[in-house]
Amino acid sequence: MSDHLLSIEDLNITVKNHRQVTTLLENVSLHVNRGEIVGLIGESGSGKSLTAKTIMNLLPSNMQLQESKVMYNDKNLLKLSAKDHRKLLGKEIGMIFQDYRGSFTPFIRIGKQMIETISTHYSIKNKEAKFMALEVLEEMGLDSERAYRSYPFQLSGGQVQRCAIAMTLALKPSLLICDEVTTALDVMSGEKVLDYIDLVRQETGCAVLMITHDLAQAYKRTDRMYVMHQGVVVEEGLPEQIRCHHKHPYTKKLCSCLLSLPNETELTVHERERVVTL
């Protein structure tokens, strides 16, 4: 068996509008090993989320897949029937969506939806499912009982996002796809969520595909990184390579967007005094 839990080979996606064919993804290839966190970075519209939607079989009907392979545990996901593919979602392949509010039905309480999700994948009683739900809500830094009893509209955007993350993590999938998981979160909450994702990875050995705009987060959290630009993977490597020894002009431009603090030797006497007093 391959060490690659997920392997995407020559992924090509086109869309046809008014007789014009546009290429959205071109020969995208990447892999994620078991127990590894892999970052996928690039500007908005570069194809990151589209790559994730392909894995989840969520492409719009007007998009066409060309001859490609998306291998998961040596199974080509693109060749599976819709029914067989759905069986893998949740417990095997989980995704935390960027549009976190779409994770919940607005007129059903958070707790009930979490119990239904957990019970669908595990043959356990509601009492056990409730315990799992409350436990993971607590790990997200939420008032677990309040979040459990609430409707989605009774919580803030950040709280709803953490509930959505909790629901996905409760199933402990083998492959976790994180699409901008800290979008609506403050720095402290975001770090807490990422710490828990890393803890789940260490405990279960799951693999994580982290899609993010946050370069500092990607440098800190990932084992390897891929850089996407206009539907093409232009560079890959270790975080240190991408940050300091990049080769592609786009990667250089992207990395230059991350501001760094000046070294102490570059500060004036007045600036050093001001830093000391802060």
Side-chain angles (χ1 to χ4, degrees), residues 211-238:
I211 298 169
T212 181
H213 288 106
D214 191 332
L215 294 179
Q217 188 184 97
Y219 293 146
K220 177 181 176 182
R221 298 280 179 175
T222 63
D223 299 305
R224 290 186 301 107
M225 296 170 65
Y226 290 89
V227 182
M228 287 194 76
H229 178 53
Q230 296 183 350
V232 178
V233 173
V234 296
E235 195 159 355
E236 64 176 285
L238 301 176

Side-chain angles (χ1 to χ4, degrees), residues 68-94:
S68 310
K69 284 185 179 180
V70 178
M71 306 296 294
Y72 170 78
N73 261 342
D74 297 327
K75 295 178 183 176
N76 190 351
L77 299 181
L78 303 183
K79 299 295 184 181
L80 295 179
S81 65
K83 182 179 179 181
D84 288 338
H85 191 281
R86 278 197 301 271
K87 290 179 180 178
L88 294 175
L89 303 184
K91 195 174 179 181
E92 284 288 323
I93 305 174

Side-chain angles (χ1 to χ4, degrees), residues 152-278:
F153 63 83
Q154 293 177 313
L155 302 175
S156 70
Q159 289 171 329
V160 173
Q161 185 167 18
R162 279 183 279 172
C163 287
I165 294 169
M167 187 162 65
T168 302
L169 293 180
L171 301 177
K172 292 183 168 53
S174 299
L175 171 64
L176 179 61
I177 303 171
C178 302
D179 191 1
E180 300 291 350
V181 294
T182 58
T183 302
L185 304 180
D186 58 74
V187 175
M188 296 298 290
S189 296
E191 285 296 310
K192 188 176 184 69
V193 165
L194 292 172
D195 284 343
Y196 186 65
I197 289 173
D198 194 40
L199 178 64
V200 170
R201 178 183 68 93
Q202 292 176 37
E203 289 180 348
T204 66
C206 73
V208 180
L209 178 61
M210 180 184 289
I211 298 169
T212 181
H213 288 106
D214 191 332
L215 294 179
Q217 188 184 97
Y219 293 146
K220 177 181 176 182
R221 298 280 179 175
T222 63
D223 299 305
R224 290 186 301 107
M225 296 170 65
Y226 290 89
V227 182
M228 287 194 76
H229 178 53
Q230 296 183 350
V232 178
V233 173
V234 296
E235 195 159 355
E236 64 176 285
L238 301 176
E240 186 67 16
Q241 291 174 315
I242 296 297
R243 183 177 184 178
C244 303
H245 307 290
H246 40 257
K247 298 177 181 178
H248 196 277
Y250 175 75
T251 309
K252 181 179 180 180
K253 183 178 179 182
L254 189 67
C255 292
S256 68
C257 294
L258 184 63
L259 298 178
S260 59
L261 292 173
N263 296 324
E264 185 179 355
T265 54
E266 296 174 349
L267 296 174
T268 64
V269 173
H270 175 71
E271 287 171 333
R272 282 200 294 271
E273 289 174 351
R274 184 170 180 272
V275 169
V276 170
T277 59
L278 289 177

